[in-house]
Amino acid sequence: MNSLTSATSATSLSLYLLLICLVAAERLAELVTARRNTSWSLARGGREYGRGHYPAMVALHTALLLGCVVEPWAAGRPFVPLLGWSALAVVLAAQGLRWWCIAALGPRWNTRVLVVPGLPLVERGPYRVLRHPNYVAVVAEGAALPLVHSAWLTALGFTVLNLALLRVRIGCEDAALTDGGRLRAPASVPSAGAPS
């Protein structure tokens, strides 16, 4: 590898690591928001569901960020412009969708499954057209973020494990909403705002 190629590779990896740090900072902002919203929900009689799967979700999302750091460095994954720029566009779109979900749900948005009795389903913002738009953002970002710097093993591993986890998580949310009297059956409302 000549010195120009080596310098370009080091620069692209440094910029990618900066992106991962920015995503990690965004995750911390989510956790601060979720903690504030948890207090809001509990003060109004909110009930938490699905505590058992929450640690697995935290571990998986932490592993995604670690994989994004380790794989490109350890395996020498290059920045492939067509793939990298396309994946970055998906990551940015996913962030926009995620924060649109947070804004639409307001204090009801959380990283945990919390249902406040008596509150109607949220049917504004992305919840007008999708039942679980936050998870569309999670799936898109989880596949795209590693691919910004060709970390295809991390993208594949996260996607497979995340799909298994989302089956549990979405089932938990639908059961929580059904238990709370908002849904007649998990599939009966095409557009429902869950505490995702």
Short mmCIF file of all heavy atoms in Angstrom, two decimals, residues 47-81:
data_model
loop_
_atom_site.label_atom_id
_atom_site.label_comp_id
_atom_site.label_asym_id
_atom_site.label_seq_id
_atom_site.Cartn_x
_atom_site.Cartn_y
_atom_site.Cartn_z
N ARG A 47 -47.17 1.36 33.73
CA ARG A 47 -46.77 -0.01 34.06
C ARG A 47 -45.73 -0.46 33.04
O ARG A 47 -45.90 -0.26 31.84
CB ARG A 47 -47.99 -0.93 34.01
CG ARG A 47 -47.67 -2.35 34.34
CD ARG A 47 -48.93 -3.19 34.42
NE ARG A 47 -48.56 -4.58 34.44
CZ ARG A 47 -49.34 -5.57 34.06
NH1 ARG A 47 -50.57 -5.32 33.68
NH2 ARG A 47 -48.91 -6.81 34.10
N GLU A 48 -44.65 -1.08 33.54
CA GLU A 48 -43.59 -1.55 32.65
C GLU A 48 -43.83 -3.01 32.28
O GLU A 48 -44.22 -3.82 33.11
CB GLU A 48 -42.22 -1.42 33.31
CG GLU A 48 -41.09 -1.82 32.38
CD GLU A 48 -39.71 -1.58 32.95
OE1 GLU A 48 -39.58 -1.01 34.05
OE2 GLU A 48 -38.74 -1.99 32.27
N TYR A 49 -43.57 -3.32 31.03
CA TYR A 49 -43.69 -4.68 30.50
C TYR A 49 -42.33 -5.08 29.90
O TYR A 49 -41.57 -4.23 29.47
CB TYR A 49 -44.74 -4.73 29.39
CG TYR A 49 -46.14 -4.42 29.83
CD1 TYR A 49 -46.55 -3.10 30.03
CD2 TYR A 49 -47.06 -5.43 30.04
CE1 TYR A 49 -47.84 -2.81 30.43
CE2 TYR A 49 -48.36 -5.16 30.44
CZ TYR A 49 -48.75 -3.84 30.63
OH TYR A 49 -50.03 -3.56 31.03
N GLY A 50 -42.06 -6.36 29.86
CA GLY A 50 -40.90 -6.88 29.14
C GLY A 50 -39.55 -6.56 29.72
O GLY A 50 -38.58 -6.42 28.97
N ARG A 51 -39.45 -6.49 31.02
CA ARG A 51 -38.14 -6.19 31.62
C ARG A 51 -37.09 -7.24 31.26
O ARG A 51 -35.92 -6.94 31.19
CB ARG A 51 -38.26 -6.13 33.14
CG ARG A 51 -38.89 -4.88 33.64
CD ARG A 51 -38.86 -4.86 35.15
NE ARG A 51 -39.59 -3.70 35.63
CZ ARG A 51 -39.75 -3.41 36.88
NH1 ARG A 51 -39.26 -4.19 37.81
NH2 ARG A 51 -40.41 -2.33 37.22
N GLY A 52 -37.53 -8.47 31.04
CA GLY A 52 -36.59 -9.57 30.79
C GLY A 52 -35.77 -9.41 29.52
O GLY A 52 -34.60 -9.81 29.48
N HIS A 53 -36.34 -8.83 28.48
CA HIS A 53 -35.60 -8.71 27.22
C HIS A 53 -34.78 -7.41 27.14
O HIS A 53 -33.94 -7.26 26.25
CB HIS A 53 -36.53 -8.83 26.01
CG HIS A 53 -37.40 -7.64 25.78
ND1 HIS A 53 -38.68 -7.56 26.26
CD2 HIS A 53 -37.16 -6.47 25.14
CE1 HIS A 53 -39.20 -6.40 25.91
NE2 HIS A 53 -38.30 -5.71 25.23
N TYR A 54 -35.00 -6.48 28.04
CA TYR A 54 -34.34 -5.18 27.95
C TYR A 54 -32.81 -5.29 28.03
O TYR A 54 -32.10 -4.66 27.22
CB TYR A 54 -34.88 -4.23 29.02
CG TYR A 54 -34.39 -2.82 28.85
CD1 TYR A 54 -34.88 -2.00 27.83
CD2 TYR A 54 -33.42 -2.28 29.70
CE1 TYR A 54 -34.42 -0.71 27.66
CE2 TYR A 54 -32.96 -0.98 29.54
CZ TYR A 54 -33.46 -0.21 28.51
OH TYR A 54 -33.00 1.07 28.34
N PRO A 55 -32.24 -6.09 28.96
CA PRO A 55 -30.77 -6.20 28.98
C PRO A 55 -30.19 -6.75 27.67
O PRO A 55 -29.13 -6.32 27.24
CB PRO A 55 -30.50 -7.15 30.16
CG PRO A 55 -31.69 -7.00 31.04
CD PRO A 55 -32.85 -6.77 30.11
N ALA A 56 -30.90 -7.68 27.03
CA ALA A 56 -30.43 -8.21 25.75
C ALA A 56 -30.43 -7.13 24.69
O ALA A 56 -29.52 -7.06 23.84
CB ALA A 56 -31.30 -9.39 25.32
N MET A 57 -31.44 -6.26 24.73
CA MET A 57 -31.52 -5.17 23.76
C MET A 57 -30.35 -4.19 23.97
O MET A 57 -29.71 -3.77 23.00
CB MET A 57 -32.86 -4.44 23.91
CG MET A 57 -33.13 -3.44 22.82
SD MET A 57 -34.77 -2.72 22.93
CE MET A 57 -34.54 -1.58 24.26
N VAL A 58 -30.07 -3.85 25.20
CA VAL A 58 -28.95 -2.95 25.51
C VAL A 58 -27.63 -3.58 25.05
O VAL A 58 -26.80 -2.92 24.41
CB VAL A 58 -28.91 -2.61 27.01
CG1 VAL A 58 -27.64 -1.87 27.38
CG2 VAL A 58 -30.14 -1.80 27.41
N ALA A 59 -27.45 -4.87 25.35
CA ALA A 59 -26.21 -5.56 24.96
C ALA A 59 -26.05 -5.59 23.44
O ALA A 59 -24.96 -5.35 22.92
CB ALA A 59 -26.21 -6.97 25.52
N LEU A 60 -27.14 -5.85 22.72
CA LEU A 60 -27.07 -5.93 21.26
C LEU A 60 -26.72 -4.57 20.65
O LEU A 60 -25.87 -4.48 19.76
CB LEU A 60 -28.39 -6.45 20.69
CG LEU A 60 -28.44 -6.60 19.18
CD1 LEU A 60 -27.38 -7.59 18.68
CD2 LEU A 60 -29.83 -7.04 18.74
N HIS A 61 -27.32 -3.51 21.15
CA HIS A 61 -27.04 -2.19 20.60
C HIS A 61 -25.63 -1.72 20.96
O HIS A 61 -24.98 -1.02 20.17
CB HIS A 61 -28.11 -1.19 21.04
CG HIS A 61 -29.38 -1.37 20.28
ND1 HIS A 61 -29.74 -0.57 19.22
CD2 HIS A 61 -30.38 -2.29 20.41
CE1 HIS A 61 -30.89 -0.98 18.72
NE2 HIS A 61 -31.30 -2.02 19.42
N THR A 62 -25.15 -2.11 22.12
CA THR A 62 -23.76 -1.81 22.50
C THR A 62 -22.80 -2.58 21.60
O THR A 62 -21.80 -2.04 21.12
CB THR A 62 -23.52 -2.16 23.98
OG1 THR A 62 -24.45 -1.40 24.78
CG2 THR A 62 -22.10 -1.84 24.40
N ALA A 63 -23.12 -3.85 21.35
CA ALA A 63 -22.28 -4.68 20.48
C ALA A 63 -22.23 -4.13 19.06
O ALA A 63 -21.20 -4.22 18.39
CB ALA A 63 -22.79 -6.12 20.47
N LEU A 64 -23.34 -3.55 18.60
CA LEU A 64 -23.34 -2.93 17.26
C LEU A 64 -22.27 -1.85 17.19
O LEU A 64 -21.46 -1.82 16.26
CB LEU A 64 -24.72 -2.34 16.94
CG LEU A 64 -24.78 -1.45 15.69
CD1 LEU A 64 -24.51 -2.26 14.43
CD2 LEU A 64 -26.12 -0.73 15.61
N LEU A 65 -22.28 -0.96 18.16
CA LEU A 65 -21.30 0.14 18.14
C LEU A 65 -19.87 -0.39 18.27
O LEU A 65 -18.96 0.09 17.57
CB LEU A 65 -21.61 1.15 19.24
CG LEU A 65 -22.95 1.89 19.09
CD1 LEU A 65 -23.17 2.85 20.25
CD2 LEU A 65 -23.04 2.63 17.76
N LEU A 66 -19.67 -1.38 19.12
CA LEU A 66 -18.32 -1.96 19.27
C LEU A 66 -17.88 -2.64 17.97
O LEU A 66 -16.73 -2.50 17.55
CB LEU A 66 -18.29 -2.95 20.43
CG LEU A 66 -18.40 -2.34 21.82
CD1 LEU A 66 -18.51 -3.42 22.89
CD2 LEU A 66 -17.21 -1.43 22.11
N GLY A 67 -18.80 -3.38 17.34
CA GLY A 67 -18.47 -4.03 16.08
C GLY A 67 -18.12 -3.02 14.99
O GLY A 67 -17.22 -3.26 14.17
N CYS A 68 -18.82 -1.89 15.01
CA CYS A 68 -18.53 -0.83 14.03
C CYS A 68 -17.13 -0.26 14.22
O CYS A 68 -16.50 0.19 13.25
CB CYS A 68 -19.56 0.29 14.14
SG CYS A 68 -21.18 -0.13 13.46
N VAL A 69 -16.64 -0.29 15.44
CA VAL A 69 -15.29 0.21 15.72
C VAL A 69 -14.24 -0.86 15.41
O VAL A 69 -13.23 -0.60 14.75
CB VAL A 69 -15.17 0.67 17.20
CG1 VAL A 69 -13.72 0.95 17.57
CG2 VAL A 69 -16.05 1.88 17.45
N VAL A 70 -14.49 -2.08 15.88
CA VAL A 70 -13.47 -3.14 15.81
C VAL A 70 -13.31 -3.72 14.41
O VAL A 70 -12.19 -3.88 13.92
CB VAL A 70 -13.79 -4.26 16.84
CG1 VAL A 70 -12.87 -5.45 16.65
CG2 VAL A 70 -13.70 -3.71 18.25
N GLU A 71 -14.41 -4.06 13.74
CA GLU A 71 -14.29 -4.77 12.46
C GLU A 71 -13.52 -4.00 11.39
O GLU A 71 -12.60 -4.56 10.77
CB GLU A 71 -15.66 -5.20 11.94
CG GLU A 71 -15.56 -6.02 10.67
CD GLU A 71 -16.89 -6.47 10.10
OE1 GLU A 71 -17.93 -6.33 10.77
OE2 GLU A 71 -16.89 -6.95 8.95
N PRO A 72 -13.84 -2.73 11.13
CA PRO A 72 -13.07 -2.03 10.08
C PRO A 72 -11.58 -1.93 10.41
O PRO A 72 -10.74 -2.03 9.51
CB PRO A 72 -13.70 -0.63 10.04
CG PRO A 72 -15.07 -0.82 10.59
CD PRO A 72 -14.93 -1.89 11.63
N TRP A 73 -11.27 -1.77 11.67
CA TRP A 73 -9.87 -1.65 12.09
C TRP A 73 -9.16 -3.00 12.04
O TRP A 73 -8.12 -3.14 11.41
CB TRP A 73 -9.81 -1.04 13.49
CG TRP A 73 -8.44 -1.05 14.07
CD1 TRP A 73 -7.40 -0.22 13.75
CD2 TRP A 73 -7.95 -1.96 15.05
NE1 TRP A 73 -6.28 -0.56 14.48
CE2 TRP A 73 -6.60 -1.62 15.30
CE3 TRP A 73 -8.51 -3.01 15.76
CZ2 TRP A 73 -5.82 -2.32 16.21
CZ3 TRP A 73 -7.73 -3.70 16.67
CH2 TRP A 73 -6.40 -3.35 16.88
N ALA A 74 -9.76 -4.02 12.70
CA ALA A 74 -9.11 -5.32 12.81
C ALA A 74 -9.06 -6.07 11.48
O ALA A 74 -8.09 -6.77 11.19
CB ALA A 74 -9.82 -6.17 13.86
N ALA A 75 -10.09 -5.94 10.68
CA ALA A 75 -10.15 -6.67 9.41
C ALA A 75 -9.70 -5.82 8.22
O ALA A 75 -9.72 -6.29 7.08
CB ALA A 75 -11.57 -7.19 9.17
N GLY A 76 -9.32 -4.59 8.48
CA GLY A 76 -8.84 -3.72 7.40
C GLY A 76 -9.91 -3.41 6.37
O GLY A 76 -9.63 -3.33 5.18
N ARG A 77 -11.13 -3.23 6.83
CA ARG A 77 -12.23 -2.95 5.89
C ARG A 77 -12.05 -1.56 5.28
O ARG A 77 -11.83 -0.58 5.99
CB ARG A 77 -13.58 -3.01 6.60
CG ARG A 77 -13.88 -4.32 7.28
CD ARG A 77 -14.33 -5.36 6.28
NE ARG A 77 -14.83 -6.52 7.00
CZ ARG A 77 -14.38 -7.76 6.84
NH1 ARG A 77 -13.42 -7.99 5.96
NH2 ARG A 77 -14.90 -8.75 7.52
N PRO A 78 -12.17 -1.47 3.97
CA PRO A 78 -11.97 -0.17 3.31
C PRO A 78 -13.27 0.64 3.29
O PRO A 78 -14.36 0.11 3.50
CB PRO A 78 -11.60 -0.58 1.89
CG PRO A 78 -12.37 -1.84 1.67
CD PRO A 78 -12.34 -2.56 3.01
N PHE A 79 -13.11 1.91 3.02
CA PHE A 79 -14.26 2.75 2.71
C PHE A 79 -14.50 2.63 1.22
O PHE A 79 -13.64 2.97 0.42
CB PHE A 79 -14.01 4.21 3.10
CG PHE A 79 -15.14 5.12 2.70
CD1 PHE A 79 -16.31 5.15 3.45
CD2 PHE A 79 -15.04 5.92 1.57
CE1 PHE A 79 -17.37 5.98 3.08
CE2 PHE A 79 -16.10 6.75 1.20
CZ PHE A 79 -17.26 6.78 1.96
N VAL A 80 -15.66 2.09 0.85
CA VAL A 80 -16.04 1.94 -0.56
C VAL A 80 -17.04 3.06 -0.84
O VAL A 80 -18.15 3.03 -0.31
CB VAL A 80 -16.65 0.55 -0.81
CG1 VAL A 80 -17.09 0.41 -2.27
CG2 VAL A 80 -15.68 -0.56 -0.41
N PRO A 81 -16.65 4.06 -1.62
CA PRO A 81 -17.49 5.26 -1.76
C PRO A 81 -18.97 5.02 -2.08
O PRO A 81 -19.83 5.57 -1.38
CB PRO A 81 -16.80 6.05 -2.88
CG PRO A 81 -15.36 5.66 -2.74
CD PRO A 81 -15.39 4.19 -2.38
#
